Amino acid sequence: MSEQQPPRHTDPATAQIGVTGLAVMGRNLARNLAHNGYRVALHNRTQARTDALLAEHGDEGTFVRTESAADLVDVLERPRTVLIMVKAGAGTDAVIDELADLLDEGDVILDGGNAHFIDTRRREKSLRDKGIHFMGTGVSGGEEGALNGPSIMPGGSDEAWEAAGEMLRSIAAEVDGEPCCSHVGPDGAGHFVKMVHNGIEYADMQLIAEAYDLLRRVGGLEPAQIAEVFRGWNETELESYLIEITAEVLAQVDAGTGRPLVDVVVDQAEQKGTGRWTVQQALDLGVPVSGIAEAVFARALSGHPEQRGPAREALIGPDAPGEVDDVDAFAEQVRLALYASKVVAYAQGFDQMQAASVEYEWGLDPGAVAALWRGGCIIRARFLDEVRAAYADDPDLATLLVDRRFREPVGAAQDAWREVVVAAARAGVPAPGFASALAYYDGLRAERLPAALIQGLRDFFGAHTYRRTDRDGVFHTLWGEDRSETDA
């Protein structure tokens, strides 16, 4: 070994936790653990990444350098705890398989990646059969949160939580002295909650983008002016991390061109899959998450320039762009529409989590989930305190929208909300998030829905039957005969 090479550590039982996978999130979580007094063993498939972390941040705490998974396991105190921070999918399975052959009964593996909860359930069961505890651990907050305190959503057995919970809580963000980390539930519950968090994040960002688009294309404001609008909104009930950073992005000027940065960024939003998973699972559970779905589809639409280019040339829109007489009044309408639509997105996400809790027997506490998201995570927002309080008052709340904390302000916003959707349609500005949220709101409050006609049509062409409002039973009309009704 060269003199420049850091020495391989061979003394046993010197680290309290191992971290394997030292990309941005993994290295920052390792540093966070070290900052909080833990002795951290480091491992990465590419040794240079381990050495780079030690060279740059080795003085921030006690780190133990290892060169292989076997080294990593050898230096850990028993029961051993290993945090995996590698790309979700086959790579995670490969690392787990390697570790499982090295670990003993009672040891703990934490998966902090964005794994699909179905994979987490499979992995947890397989490792449980070997006596190894496995926790699918959702982590939100980006690289800054990973270093300074993320929101952490662990799912797994009570034994796994007992072994690793104190450590996870110590590195999490805190709000009012309370760590944004608690045991979410068994097997895949933690990664499911993180998935829905990301789905709500998709919807939140889409709504913010629509608000910006309307203020610019209908209100006539420039990005720097809209940045100031968002700064003002962040002093209201909209206060949140995403509103805060929207102002920063809109105020940024590109050094090379002198133009607003937002004007030189290609208008194609990318995605890593968690939003899509949220929608897919909602379909399986039969839970409408239209706001999240519209956000996912809006990103997909933005990513098809081969369609958008020809359509831009061929498709007809309004003769003239929309205009408003009072920009300040219009901005206030957009603010109210944004608030109401955001509440809908959160309500849909919590509905989905509660449906999954029943389906998988997780026993999720929606109020506790809201508490996890108050700090550290991307969707942290002022009104999560009110979400928490709503579910504390009624854990079986039919929908967040009926709680008085949201029913009244959303109801008060509805006129402005409708005006914004109309203004967008008249101006030809796409606002699928605002429009779908309003349609959902109206669907919930409707005395009767046209689903009755759909059932009649289904019965006509496929004898799918229907139920009646005036008596029990299931019925079918003999459409091709005398159209009399029969019991089905």
Side-chain angles (χ1 to χ4, degrees), residues 310-353:
R312 189 162 49 244
E313 299 296 327
L315 301 183
I316 298 170
D319 291 335
E323 297 180 355
V324 293
D325 295 328
D326 187 335
V327 175
D328 291 340
F330 179 67
E332 176 61 11
Q333 288 180 324
V334 174
R335 184 186 72 83
L336 292 169
L338 177 57
Y339 170 78
S341 298
K342 281 163 68 81
V343 172
V344 166
Y346 279 76
Q348 291 177 348
F350 275 88
D351 289 347
Q352 182 173 358
M353 287 187 290

mmCIF file of all heavy atoms in Angstrom, residues 310-353:
data_model
loop_
_atom_site.group_PDB
_atom_site.id
_atom_site.type_symbol
_atom_site.label_atom_id
_atom_site.label_comp_id
_atom_site.label_asym_id
_atom_site.label_seq_id
_atom_site.Cartn_x
_atom_site.Cartn_y
_atom_site.Cartn_z
ATOM 1 N N PRO A 310 -44.752 20.242 -33.741
ATOM 2 C CA PRO A 310 -45.767 20.270 -34.794
ATOM 3 C C PRO A 310 -47.120 20.786 -34.310
ATOM 4 O O PRO A 310 -47.820 21.488 -35.031
ATOM 5 C CB PRO A 310 -45.866 18.801 -35.224
ATOM 6 C CG PRO A 310 -44.547 18.208 -34.862
ATOM 7 C CD PRO A 310 -44.131 18.916 -33.599
ATOM 8 N N ALA A 311 -47.495 20.434 -33.058
ATOM 9 C CA ALA A 311 -48.784 20.889 -32.532
ATOM 10 C C ALA A 311 -48.800 22.405 -32.374
ATOM 11 O O ALA A 311 -49.826 23.058 -32.615
ATOM 12 C CB ALA A 311 -49.067 20.219 -31.189
ATOM 13 N N ARG A 312 -47.682 22.959 -31.954
ATOM 14 C CA ARG A 312 -47.603 24.410 -31.785
ATOM 15 C C ARG A 312 -47.873 25.136 -33.104
ATOM 16 O O ARG A 312 -48.464 26.212 -33.138
ATOM 17 C CB ARG A 312 -46.223 24.775 -31.235
ATOM 18 C CG ARG A 312 -46.076 26.222 -30.813
ATOM 19 C CD ARG A 312 -44.874 26.403 -29.904
ATOM 20 N NE ARG A 312 -43.668 25.792 -30.438
ATOM 21 C CZ ARG A 312 -43.016 24.773 -29.873
ATOM 22 N NH1 ARG A 312 -43.471 24.251 -28.759
ATOM 23 N NH2 ARG A 312 -41.927 24.282 -30.407
ATOM 24 N N GLU A 313 -47.442 24.522 -34.194
ATOM 25 C CA GLU A 313 -47.635 25.129 -35.505
ATOM 26 C C GLU A 313 -49.046 24.916 -36.036
ATOM 27 O O GLU A 313 -49.574 25.750 -36.793
ATOM 28 C CB GLU A 313 -46.629 24.546 -36.510
ATOM 29 C CG GLU A 313 -45.175 24.786 -36.156
ATOM 30 C CD GLU A 313 -44.827 26.262 -36.176
ATOM 31 O OE1 GLU A 313 -45.406 27.005 -36.993
ATOM 32 O OE2 GLU A 313 -43.971 26.677 -35.355
ATOM 33 N N ALA A 314 -49.681 23.801 -35.642
ATOM 34 C CA ALA A 314 -50.940 23.400 -36.281
ATOM 35 C C ALA A 314 -52.193 23.703 -35.472
ATOM 36 O O ALA A 314 -53.251 23.974 -36.046
ATOM 37 C CB ALA A 314 -50.896 21.902 -36.601
ATOM 38 N N LEU A 315 -52.092 23.656 -34.159
ATOM 39 C CA LEU A 315 -53.301 23.746 -33.343
ATOM 40 C C LEU A 315 -53.698 25.197 -33.091
ATOM 41 O O LEU A 315 -52.859 26.066 -32.888
ATOM 42 C CB LEU A 315 -53.100 23.019 -32.007
ATOM 43 C CG LEU A 315 -52.760 21.525 -32.113
ATOM 44 C CD1 LEU A 315 -52.657 20.906 -30.730
ATOM 45 C CD2 LEU A 315 -53.785 20.779 -32.963
ATOM 46 N N ILE A 316 -55.009 25.436 -33.107
ATOM 47 C CA ILE A 316 -55.548 26.790 -32.967
ATOM 48 C C ILE A 316 -55.859 27.076 -31.502
ATOM 49 O O ILE A 316 -56.423 26.242 -30.794
ATOM 50 C CB ILE A 316 -56.831 26.940 -33.813
ATOM 51 C CG1 ILE A 316 -56.499 26.717 -35.299
ATOM 52 C CG2 ILE A 316 -57.472 28.311 -33.604
ATOM 53 C CD1 ILE A 316 -57.726 26.617 -36.176
ATOM 54 N N GLY A 317 -55.500 28.262 -31.055
ATOM 55 C CA GLY A 317 -55.789 28.693 -29.694
ATOM 56 C C GLY A 317 -56.604 29.969 -29.698
ATOM 57 O O GLY A 317 -57.131 30.386 -30.745
ATOM 58 N N PRO A 318 -56.728 30.628 -28.549
ATOM 59 C CA PRO A 318 -57.488 31.879 -28.473
ATOM 60 C C PRO A 318 -56.896 32.933 -29.415
ATOM 61 O O PRO A 318 -55.687 32.959 -29.669
ATOM 62 C CB PRO A 318 -57.332 32.303 -27.014
ATOM 63 C CG PRO A 318 -56.979 31.058 -26.284
ATOM 64 C CD PRO A 318 -56.201 30.219 -27.229
ATOM 65 N N ASP A 319 -57.764 33.812 -29.924
ATOM 66 C CA ASP A 319 -57.304 34.852 -30.856
ATOM 67 C C ASP A 319 -56.343 35.822 -30.192
ATOM 68 O O ASP A 319 -55.432 36.342 -30.833
ATOM 69 C CB ASP A 319 -58.508 35.632 -31.413
ATOM 70 C CG ASP A 319 -59.352 34.768 -32.341
ATOM 71 O OD1 ASP A 319 -58.791 33.803 -32.911
ATOM 72 O OD2 ASP A 319 -60.559 35.033 -32.460
ATOM 73 N N ALA A 320 -56.547 36.098 -28.920
ATOM 74 C CA ALA A 320 -55.693 37.047 -28.216
ATOM 75 C C ALA A 320 -55.392 36.509 -26.828
ATOM 76 O O ALA A 320 -56.213 35.802 -26.236
ATOM 77 C CB ALA A 320 -56.384 38.406 -28.106
ATOM 78 N N PRO A 321 -54.197 36.787 -26.304
ATOM 79 C CA PRO A 321 -53.883 36.316 -24.953
ATOM 80 C C PRO A 321 -54.790 36.969 -23.925
ATOM 81 O O PRO A 321 -55.296 38.074 -24.125
ATOM 82 C CB PRO A 321 -52.425 36.759 -24.761
ATOM 83 C CG PRO A 321 -52.248 37.906 -25.712
ATOM 84 C CD PRO A 321 -53.116 37.593 -26.890
ATOM 85 N N GLY A 322 -55.007 36.268 -22.834
ATOM 86 C CA GLY A 322 -55.858 36.822 -21.783
ATOM 87 C C GLY A 322 -55.233 38.052 -21.151
ATOM 88 O O GLY A 322 -54.009 38.193 -21.117
ATOM 89 N N GLU A 323 -56.040 38.934 -20.686
ATOM 90 C CA GLU A 323 -55.571 40.144 -20.018
ATOM 91 C C GLU A 323 -56.374 40.367 -18.746
ATOM 92 O O GLU A 323 -57.531 39.947 -18.642
ATOM 93 C CB GLU A 323 -55.714 41.361 -20.933
ATOM 94 C CG GLU A 323 -54.874 41.288 -22.199
ATOM 95 C CD GLU A 323 -55.053 42.524 -23.076
ATOM 96 O OE1 GLU A 323 -55.895 43.371 -22.724
ATOM 97 O OE2 GLU A 323 -54.359 42.630 -24.104
ATOM 98 N N VAL A 324 -55.752 41.027 -17.785
ATOM 99 C CA VAL A 324 -56.457 41.378 -16.556
ATOM 100 C C VAL A 324 -56.304 42.875 -16.319
ATOM 101 O O VAL A 324 -55.277 43.473 -16.655
ATOM 102 C CB VAL A 324 -55.908 40.594 -15.347
ATOM 103 C CG1 VAL A 324 -56.206 39.111 -15.485
ATOM 104 C CG2 VAL A 324 -54.413 40.806 -15.182
ATOM 105 N N ASP A 325 -57.335 43.475 -15.773
ATOM 106 C CA ASP A 325 -57.295 44.913 -15.509
ATOM 107 C C ASP A 325 -56.522 45.233 -14.239
ATOM 108 O O ASP A 325 -55.844 46.257 -14.148
ATOM 109 C CB ASP A 325 -58.727 45.458 -15.397
ATOM 110 C CG ASP A 325 -59.489 45.335 -16.708
ATOM 111 O OD1 ASP A 325 -58.844 45.430 -17.767
ATOM 112 O OD2 ASP A 325 -60.714 45.113 -16.653
ATOM 113 N N ASP A 326 -56.625 44.371 -13.261
ATOM 114 C CA ASP A 326 -55.993 44.613 -11.959
ATOM 115 C C ASP A 326 -55.069 43.438 -11.650
ATOM 116 O O ASP A 326 -55.517 42.371 -11.217
ATOM 117 C CB ASP A 326 -57.068 44.762 -10.889
ATOM 118 C CG ASP A 326 -56.503 45.187 -9.534
ATOM 119 O OD1 ASP A 326 -55.313 44.925 -9.278
ATOM 120 O OD2 ASP A 326 -57.271 45.772 -8.739
ATOM 121 N N VAL A 327 -53.770 43.624 -11.882
ATOM 122 C CA VAL A 327 -52.815 42.537 -11.711
ATOM 123 C C VAL A 327 -52.738 42.085 -10.257
ATOM 124 O O VAL A 327 -52.660 40.883 -9.962
ATOM 125 C CB VAL A 327 -51.422 42.953 -12.221
ATOM 126 C CG1 VAL A 327 -50.396 41.857 -11.940
ATOM 127 C CG2 VAL A 327 -51.469 43.248 -13.709
ATOM 128 N N ASP A 328 -52.770 43.020 -9.325
ATOM 129 C CA ASP A 328 -52.702 42.656 -7.911
ATOM 130 C C ASP A 328 -53.894 41.804 -7.488
ATOM 131 O O ASP A 328 -53.744 40.825 -6.740
ATOM 132 C CB ASP A 328 -52.627 43.910 -7.046
ATOM 133 C CG ASP A 328 -51.303 44.651 -7.186
ATOM 134 O OD1 ASP A 328 -50.327 44.017 -7.634
ATOM 135 O OD2 ASP A 328 -51.256 45.848 -6.862
ATOM 136 N N ALA A 329 -55.065 42.162 -7.985
ATOM 137 C CA ALA A 329 -56.264 41.386 -7.653
ATOM 138 C C ALA A 329 -56.185 39.990 -8.261
ATOM 139 O O ALA A 329 -56.570 38.994 -7.626
ATOM 140 C CB ALA A 329 -57.513 42.112 -8.148
ATOM 141 N N PHE A 330 -55.664 39.914 -9.489
ATOM 142 C CA PHE A 330 -55.517 38.612 -10.138
ATOM 143 C C PHE A 330 -54.508 37.757 -9.378
ATOM 144 O O PHE A 330 -54.729 36.553 -9.175
ATOM 145 C CB PHE A 330 -55.084 38.787 -11.585
ATOM 146 C CG PHE A 330 -54.888 37.488 -12.326
ATOM 147 C CD1 PHE A 330 -55.959 36.656 -12.599
ATOM 148 C CD2 PHE A 330 -53.619 37.091 -12.749
ATOM 149 C CE1 PHE A 330 -55.786 35.448 -13.271
ATOM 150 C CE2 PHE A 330 -53.431 35.900 -13.418
ATOM 151 C CZ PHE A 330 -54.523 35.079 -13.691
ATOM 152 N N ALA A 331 -53.398 38.363 -8.948
ATOM 153 C CA ALA A 331 -52.398 37.621 -8.185
ATOM 154 C C ALA A 331 -52.996 37.057 -6.899
ATOM 155 O O ALA A 331 -52.672 35.934 -6.488
ATOM 156 C CB ALA A 331 -51.204 38.522 -7.867
ATOM 157 N N GLU A 332 -53.872 37.807 -6.253
ATOM 158 C CA GLU A 332 -54.519 37.309 -5.049
ATOM 159 C C GLU A 332 -55.433 36.133 -5.366
ATOM 160 O O GLU A 332 -55.508 35.158 -4.593
ATOM 161 C CB GLU A 332 -55.302 38.435 -4.372
ATOM 162 C CG GLU A 332 -56.110 38.030 -3.140
ATOM 163 C CD GLU A 332 -55.273 37.473 -2.003
ATOM 164 O OE1 GLU A 332 -54.030 37.570 -2.054
ATOM 165 O OE2 GLU A 332 -55.867 36.935 -1.040
ATOM 166 N N GLN A 333 -56.139 36.201 -6.503
ATOM 167 C CA GLN A 333 -56.971 35.064 -6.908
ATOM 168 C C GLN A 333 -56.111 33.819 -7.141
ATOM 169 O O GLN A 333 -56.484 32.706 -6.733
ATOM 170 C CB GLN A 333 -57.743 35.406 -8.183
ATOM 171 C CG GLN A 333 -58.865 36.409 -7.990
ATOM 172 C CD GLN A 333 -59.590 36.697 -9.285
ATOM 173 O OE1 GLN A 333 -58.989 36.733 -10.367
ATOM 174 N NE2 GLN A 333 -60.903 36.918 -9.196
ATOM 175 N N VAL A 334 -54.962 34.003 -7.778
ATOM 176 C CA VAL A 334 -54.070 32.876 -8.028
ATOM 177 C C VAL A 334 -53.549 32.309 -6.707
ATOM 178 O O VAL A 334 -53.444 31.085 -6.538
ATOM 179 C CB VAL A 334 -52.898 33.293 -8.945
ATOM 180 C CG1 VAL A 334 -51.887 32.155 -9.083
ATOM 181 C CG2 VAL A 334 -53.415 33.701 -10.316
ATOM 182 N N ARG A 335 -53.238 33.173 -5.762
ATOM 183 C CA ARG A 335 -52.776 32.707 -4.452
ATOM 184 C C ARG A 335 -53.829 31.833 -3.778
ATOM 185 O O ARG A 335 -53.513 30.751 -3.255
ATOM 186 C CB ARG A 335 -52.452 33.898 -3.545
ATOM 187 C CG ARG A 335 -51.863 33.489 -2.187
ATOM 188 C CD ARG A 335 -51.683 34.683 -1.265
ATOM 189 N NE ARG A 335 -52.966 35.189 -0.767
ATOM 190 C CZ ARG A 335 -53.613 34.677 0.281
ATOM 191 N NH1 ARG A 335 -53.109 33.639 0.940
ATOM 192 N NH2 ARG A 335 -54.762 35.201 0.683
ATOM 193 N N LEU A 336 -55.058 32.271 -3.807
ATOM 194 C CA LEU A 336 -56.132 31.496 -3.191
ATOM 195 C C LEU A 336 -56.350 30.174 -3.915
ATOM 196 O O LEU A 336 -56.580 29.133 -3.284
ATOM 197 C CB LEU A 336 -57.422 32.319 -3.184
ATOM 198 C CG LEU A 336 -57.412 33.544 -2.254
ATOM 199 C CD1 LEU A 336 -58.620 34.435 -2.521
ATOM 200 C CD2 LEU A 336 -57.391 33.107 -0.787
ATOM 201 N N ALA A 337 -56.271 30.205 -5.249
ATOM 202 C CA ALA A 337 -56.420 28.970 -6.028
ATOM 203 C C ALA A 337 -55.284 28.003 -5.729
ATOM 204 O O ALA A 337 -55.485 26.782 -5.649
ATOM 205 C CB ALA A 337 -56.466 29.301 -7.521
ATOM 206 N N LEU A 338 -54.087 28.555 -5.564
ATOM 207 C CA LEU A 338 -52.933 27.713 -5.247
ATOM 208 C C LEU A 338 -53.108 27.058 -3.884
ATOM 209 O O LEU A 338 -52.875 25.848 -3.726
ATOM 210 C CB LEU A 338 -51.663 28.565 -5.284
ATOM 211 C CG LEU A 338 -50.349 27.869 -4.912
ATOM 212 C CD1 LEU A 338 -50.087 26.668 -5.811
ATOM 213 C CD2 LEU A 338 -49.187 28.863 -5.006
ATOM 214 N N TYR A 339 -53.538 27.810 -2.904
ATOM 215 C CA TYR A 339 -53.756 27.244 -1.572
ATOM 216 C C TYR A 339 -54.792 26.123 -1.615
ATOM 217 O O TYR A 339 -54.564 25.023 -1.101
ATOM 218 C CB TYR A 339 -54.206 28.330 -0.594
ATOM 219 C CG TYR A 339 -54.682 27.766 0.722
ATOM 220 C CD1 TYR A 339 -53.772 27.332 1.684
ATOM 221 C CD2 TYR A 339 -56.047 27.624 0.988
ATOM 222 C CE1 TYR A 339 -54.200 26.784 2.883
ATOM 223 C CE2 TYR A 339 -56.484 27.078 2.184
ATOM 224 C CZ TYR A 339 -55.561 26.661 3.128
ATOM 225 O OH TYR A 339 -55.999 26.103 4.306
ATOM 226 N N ALA A 340 -55.944 26.398 -2.232
ATOM 227 C CA ALA A 340 -57.017 25.410 -2.265
ATOM 228 C C ALA A 340 -56.575 24.147 -2.998
ATOM 229 O O ALA A 340 -56.866 23.021 -2.558
ATOM 230 C CB ALA A 340 -58.255 26.009 -2.933
ATOM 231 N N SER A 341 -55.866 24.317 -4.094
ATOM 232 C CA SER A 341 -55.426 23.158 -4.881
ATOM 233 C C SER A 341 -54.378 22.352 -4.135
ATOM 234 O O SER A 341 -54.349 21.114 -4.224
ATOM 235 C CB SER A 341 -54.872 23.627 -6.228
ATOM 236 O OG SER A 341 -55.868 24.288 -6.988
ATOM 237 N N LYS A 342 -53.498 23.034 -3.394
ATOM 238 C CA LYS A 342 -52.511 22.327 -2.593
ATOM 239 C C LYS A 342 -53.189 21.487 -1.508
ATOM 240 O O LYS A 342 -52.793 20.348 -1.258
ATOM 241 C CB LYS A 342 -51.533 23.330 -1.955
ATOM 242 C CG LYS A 342 -50.454 23.824 -2.902
ATOM 243 C CD LYS A 342 -49.785 25.081 -2.390
ATOM 244 C CE LYS A 342 -48.968 24.865 -1.149
ATOM 245 N NZ LYS A 342 -47.622 24.317 -1.450
ATOM 246 N N VAL A 343 -54.210 22.027 -0.873
ATOM 247 C CA VAL A 343 -54.928 21.269 0.146
ATOM 248 C C VAL A 343 -55.534 20.009 -0.461
ATOM 249 O O VAL A 343 -55.493 18.926 0.137
ATOM 250 C CB VAL A 343 -56.012 22.133 0.815
ATOM 251 C CG1 VAL A 343 -56.881 21.285 1.743
ATOM 252 C CG2 VAL A 343 -55.383 23.276 1.603
ATOM 253 N N VAL A 344 -56.086 20.134 -1.676
ATOM 254 C CA VAL A 344 -56.640 18.962 -2.359
ATOM 255 C C VAL A 344 -55.553 17.911 -2.581
ATOM 256 O O VAL A 344 -55.775 16.709 -2.338
ATOM 257 C CB VAL A 344 -57.288 19.365 -3.693
ATOM 258 C CG1 VAL A 344 -57.564 18.136 -4.564
ATOM 259 C CG2 VAL A 344 -58.593 20.119 -3.448
ATOM 260 N N ALA A 345 -54.380 18.335 -3.040
ATOM 261 C CA ALA A 345 -53.304 17.382 -3.294
ATOM 262 C C ALA A 345 -52.904 16.646 -2.021
ATOM 263 O O ALA A 345 -52.708 15.417 -2.018
ATOM 264 C CB ALA A 345 -52.097 18.103 -3.897
ATOM 265 N N TYR A 346 -52.774 17.371 -0.912
ATOM 266 C CA TYR A 346 -52.437 16.733 0.362
ATOM 267 C C TYR A 346 -53.559 15.802 0.809
ATOM 268 O O TYR A 346 -53.306 14.689 1.299
ATOM 269 C CB TYR A 346 -52.168 17.784 1.436
ATOM 270 C CG TYR A 346 -50.784 18.382 1.379
ATOM 271 C CD1 TYR A 346 -50.443 19.330 0.409
ATOM 272 C CD2 TYR A 346 -49.808 18.011 2.296
ATOM 273 C CE1 TYR A 346 -49.170 19.879 0.363
ATOM 274 C CE2 TYR A 346 -48.533 18.553 2.261
ATOM 275 C CZ TYR A 346 -48.219 19.491 1.291
ATOM 276 O OH TYR A 346 -46.954 20.029 1.238
ATOM 277 N N ALA A 347 -54.804 16.241 0.646
ATOM 278 C CA ALA A 347 -55.941 15.397 1.036
ATOM 279 C C ALA A 347 -55.927 14.081 0.266
ATOM 280 O O ALA A 347 -56.154 13.010 0.840
ATOM 281 C CB ALA A 347 -57.253 16.150 0.794
ATOM 282 N N GLN A 348 -55.662 14.152 -1.029
ATOM 283 C CA GLN A 348 -55.623 12.938 -1.838
ATOM 284 C C GLN A 348 -54.488 12.021 -1.403
ATOM 285 O O GLN A 348 -54.652 10.794 -1.323
ATOM 286 C CB GLN A 348 -55.473 13.304 -3.317
ATOM 287 C CG GLN A 348 -56.708 13.977 -3.895
ATOM 288 C CD GLN A 348 -56.529 14.403 -5.340
ATOM 289 O OE1 GLN A 348 -55.415 14.405 -5.878
ATOM 290 N NE2 GLN A 348 -57.618 14.784 -5.991
ATOM 291 N N GLY A 349 -53.323 12.597 -1.095
ATOM 292 C CA GLY A 349 -52.206 11.787 -0.633
ATOM 293 C C GLY A 349 -52.502 11.084 0.677
ATOM 294 O O GLY A 349 -52.183 9.896 0.851
ATOM 295 N N PHE A 350 -53.122 11.787 1.615
ATOM 296 C CA PHE A 350 -53.462 11.158 2.892
ATOM 297 C C PHE A 350 -54.543 10.096 2.718
ATOM 298 O O PHE A 350 -54.523 9.060 3.393
ATOM 299 C CB PHE A 350 -53.872 12.218 3.914
ATOM 300 C CG PHE A 350 -52.703 12.835 4.623
ATOM 301 C CD1 PHE A 350 -52.058 13.940 4.102
ATOM 302 C CD2 PHE A 350 -52.222 12.281 5.801
ATOM 303 C CE1 PHE A 350 -50.960 14.500 4.746
ATOM 304 C CE2 PHE A 350 -51.122 12.831 6.464
ATOM 305 C CZ PHE A 350 -50.484 13.940 5.923
ATOM 306 N N ASP A 351 -55.479 10.323 1.790
ATOM 307 C CA ASP A 351 -56.479 9.289 1.495
ATOM 308 C C ASP A 351 -55.797 8.018 1.007
ATOM 309 O O ASP A 351 -56.160 6.901 1.397
ATOM 310 C CB ASP A 351 -57.454 9.780 0.422
ATOM 311 C CG ASP A 351 -58.405 10.851 0.914
ATOM 312 O OD1 ASP A 351 -58.483 11.053 2.143
ATOM 313 O OD2 ASP A 351 -59.063 11.492 0.072
ATOM 314 N N GLN A 352 -54.806 8.186 0.142
ATOM 315 C CA GLN A 352 -54.107 7.027 -0.407
ATOM 316 C C GLN A 352 -53.348 6.266 0.689
ATOM 317 O O GLN A 352 -53.363 5.033 0.724
ATOM 318 C CB GLN A 352 -53.133 7.454 -1.499
ATOM 319 C CG GLN A 352 -52.401 6.283 -2.152
ATOM 320 C CD GLN A 352 -51.566 6.696 -3.342
ATOM 321 O OE1 GLN A 352 -51.546 7.865 -3.725
ATOM 322 N NE2 GLN A 352 -50.881 5.744 -3.950
ATOM 323 N N MET A 353 -52.695 7.001 1.577
ATOM 324 C CA MET A 353 -51.973 6.329 2.664
ATOM 325 C C MET A 353 -52.922 5.563 3.578
ATOM 326 O O MET A 353 -52.615 4.443 4.013
ATOM 327 C CB MET A 353 -51.162 7.351 3.458
ATOM 328 C CG MET A 353 -49.937 7.865 2.719
ATOM 329 S SD MET A 353 -48.865 8.914 3.725
ATOM 330 C CE MET A 353 -49.874 10.380 3.903
#
